[in-house]
Amino acid sequence: MTPKLPGFEELLDSAASSALHLEMRDTYAVAEEAEDVALWRSGAWDLEDGRRTLADWLALVRRTVARGVVVRRARIVSEPVTEYIRYEHALTPLNLEAGEGVRWLPRRQALGIAVPANDFWLIDGRVVRFNHFAGDGAAVEPEMSDDPAIAHLCASAFDEVWKRGLEHHQFKV
């Protein structure tokens, strides 16, 4: 059975214990980020710009963490990192301030980890939201699954990436 596709607010609001996010792309071209990425690239961006742009997301994470839900994000990245990953790294202190745990794993150190083909959010170890992207990094229609075998694969992948990953302050770009 495939659950209906909730938005991120509904998805995180549904979490009782954990919300885990695994990112595996080196470049994203999400329309909502285009202006901030361009400002960052020009040197005209700072964390206050990011704080304004991400205000709704950061508030959602704070609210979720305040309910006792563990929110963690792990990123598998190629080295040397792409420009986009440098942007994400610059933005990550805001995720940390909001209460997310964030770790980085260089792709070469991910050998042997069975990962699903797509980025995902795993809620309470039982529901998975896969984020699909086109070849150019643009977001396309996401997909949900509550198949226990898929949830188990995602949980195992996330746990291993988290175990091997570096804390944000340890990962230099």
Side-chain angles (χ1 to χ4, degrees):
M1 176 170 116
T2 301
K4 82 175 188 69
L5 194 64
F8 281 112
E9 186 167 357
E10 185 180 344
L11 185 68
L12 266 63
D13 283 348
S14 74
S17 61
S18 64
L20 310 177
H21 186 35
L22 182 61
E23 297 177 355
M24 297 180 282
R25 295 182 58 89
D26 289 315
T27 300
Y28 295 86
V30 180
E32 297 84 36
E33 295 178 336
E35 187 176 331
D36 265 7
V37 172
L39 282 172
W40 173 83
R41 188 179 293 122
S42 74
W45 178 94
D46 63 22
L47 275 179
E48 289 309 312
D49 294 310
R51 192 172 276 112
R52 281 188 295 278
T53 301
L54 293 176
D56 291 342
W57 173 255
L58 299 173
L60 175 59
V61 171
R62 280 187 195 94
R63 189 174 78 233
T64 303
V65 170
R67 291 189 297 104
V69 176
V70 173
V71 180
R72 296 189 299 177
R73 179 185 305 259
R75 294 174 170 139
I76 299 174
V77 296
S78 299
E79 290 181 308
V81 299
T82 62
E83 180 181 62
Y84 184 85
I85 294 301
R86 286 194 306 277
Y87 163 75
E88 273 193 333
H89 192 270
L91 196 63
T92 297
L94 298 175
N95 299 86
L96 298 171
E97 283 177 17
E100 279 189 64
V102 179
R103 291 194 181 173
W104 302 82
L105 181 63
R107 196 170 307 281
R108 286 180 171 265
Q109 294 174 25
L111 294 176
I113 301 174
V115 296
N118 299 286
D119 291 10
F120 64 83
W121 277 93
L122 176 62
I123 305 300
D124 296 334
R126 60 178 178 71
V127 177
V128 183
R129 175 191 164 116
F130 288 102
N131 296 325
H132 295 293
F133 296 90
D136 65 0
V140 296
E141 190 63 34
E143 177 177 357
M144 297 286 292
S145 174
D146 60 4
D147 180 317
I150 292 172
H152 178 74
L153 169 65
C154 292
S156 296
F158 187 92
D159 288 346
E160 189 60 28
V161 171
W162 190 259
K163 184 173 85 178
R164 295 184 193 187
L166 299 169
E167 297 281 342
H168 176 70
H169 71 275
Q170 297 173 308
F171 185 71
K172 307 300 179 203
V173 295

